[in-house]
Amino acid sequence: MVDSGSARYGDREGGSNYSKGSPRIRCHAGAVSTPHPARERLVALAEPVYEQAIGRQHRKDPVLPRTGGPAGNARLTAWTGLVLLVLFLAELVTALDVRGLMGWHVAIGALLIPPALLKTASTGWRIVRYYRGHEAYRAAGPPPVLLRVLGPLVVVSTLVVLGTGILLILLGPDRSRGGLIDASFLHKGSFVIWAAVTGLHTLARLVPAIQLAFSRKNAPVPGQVSRLAVLLVACMVAAVVAAAVFAGSGAWRSIRLGFHDHFRSPPGTHFVHR
């Protein structure tokens, strides 16, 4: 007799082309029957992430009066995440030519700060409420284990890459390199890590965020006006921060040709961008 796993294998390969007693089927049956605890554990961890990532599985967030509770929190996080995604993609574009797009790189990096802090606050609020035993958040449950592991990496790498970026602006080109701590190296290294972990996080959460933000099947959740106001305030603060940081980054924008790393211009002379 052939086990069900072997029968499914035969169906995929054409069914009638493989007899029940063929060596290929018997080999597959033996492989299926061999236990692989580590692999099974990994599949069990990855499956809920995959199911949520493709929108097949949804977390049921309780709805509370006034603020919306977990459901309102999820929608605020989703909207903020989509705003961050647009800025994140734009920042990656500037990274392809940082020297030529230095002004844009600085401005978009500064725009990221308030929305990133807002998303960190919204997810942090959910975590605190869950672990403090709030009934509604306990009922909603935590995210899958793999996302719980990835989440802190996203938060830490985001704070480090934004923090080192601000540090570079404050130090200027001359003082950012060398010494005990190379701020430029830290920023570049943290940017690579941030792009990697944020990319993984985006793959897992993009579809659920879009469904929460735009699906017509979602019932209205209390607190929509308050959530929209919070997001608009974050965007306005981001614009102010970006303008201030851009104004203070003149020294960095003046070296967009890339000569600064290898040559020092004589006093009173300037490179002209053509």
Side-chain angles (χ1 to χ4, degrees), residues 39-82:
R39 184 191 305 172
E40 292 175 359
R41 176 61 175 166
L42 182 60
V43 170
L45 291 174
E47 185 174 6
V49 177
Y50 173 76
E51 293 293 324
Q52 289 189 16
I54 64 175
R56 186 181 297 166
Q57 186 181 93
H58 306 279
R59 182 169 58 188
K60 295 181 179 179
D61 291 312
V63 179
L64 298 181
R66 198 168 62 84
T67 63
N73 176 272
R75 281 155 178 76
L76 176 60
T77 303
W79 274 106
T80 309
L82 292 175

Side-chain angles (χ1 to χ4, degrees), residues 12-172:
R12 288 196 301 270
E13 294 295 330
S16 59
N17 294 332
Y18 294 90
S19 66
K20 291 183 178 181
S22 67
R24 186 171 184 177
I25 296 297
R26 287 197 301 269
C27 177
H28 180 73
V32 170
S33 61
T34 303
H36 296 282
R39 184 191 305 172
E40 292 175 359
R41 176 61 175 166
L42 182 60
V43 170
L45 291 174
E47 185 174 6
V49 177
Y50 173 76
E51 293 293 324
Q52 289 189 16
I54 64 175
R56 186 181 297 166
Q57 186 181 93
H58 306 279
R59 182 169 58 188
K60 295 181 179 179
D61 291 312
V63 179
L64 298 181
R66 198 168 62 84
T67 63
N73 176 272
R75 281 155 178 76
L76 176 60
T77 303
W79 274 106
T80 309
L82 292 175
V83 171
L84 283 171
L85 175 61
V86 174
L87 296 175
F88 168 66
L89 293 176
E91 188 74 337
L92 285 181
V93 171
T94 67
L96 299 176
D97 182 18
V98 176
R99 297 293 181 184
L101 300 172
M102 179 63 74
W104 285 104
H105 185 75
V106 170
I108 296 172
L111 281 172
L112 280 163
I113 296 175
L117 293 178
L118 175 59
K119 190 170 186 294
T120 300
S122 66
T123 54
W125 173 262
R126 189 180 189 103
I127 292 171
V128 170
R129 300 290 275 179
Y130 174 82
Y131 283 107
R132 293 192 65 179
H134 190 280
E135 183 178 353
Y137 286 90
R138 297 291 293 185
V145 174
L146 292 182
L147 292 182
R148 275 182 274 169
V149 174
L150 186 62
L153 298 178
V154 173
V155 172
V156 172
S157 63
T158 299
L159 295 178
V160 171
V161 75
L162 295 177
T164 54
I166 295 299
L167 180 62
L168 284 175
I169 299 300
L170 295 176
L171 292 176

Side-chain angles (χ1 to χ4, degrees), residues 222-242:
Q224 183 174 355
V225 174
S226 298
R227 290 190 295 274
L228 181 60
V230 169
L231 187 58
L232 288 177
V233 169
C235 291
M236 289 188 291
V237 172
V240 173
V241 171

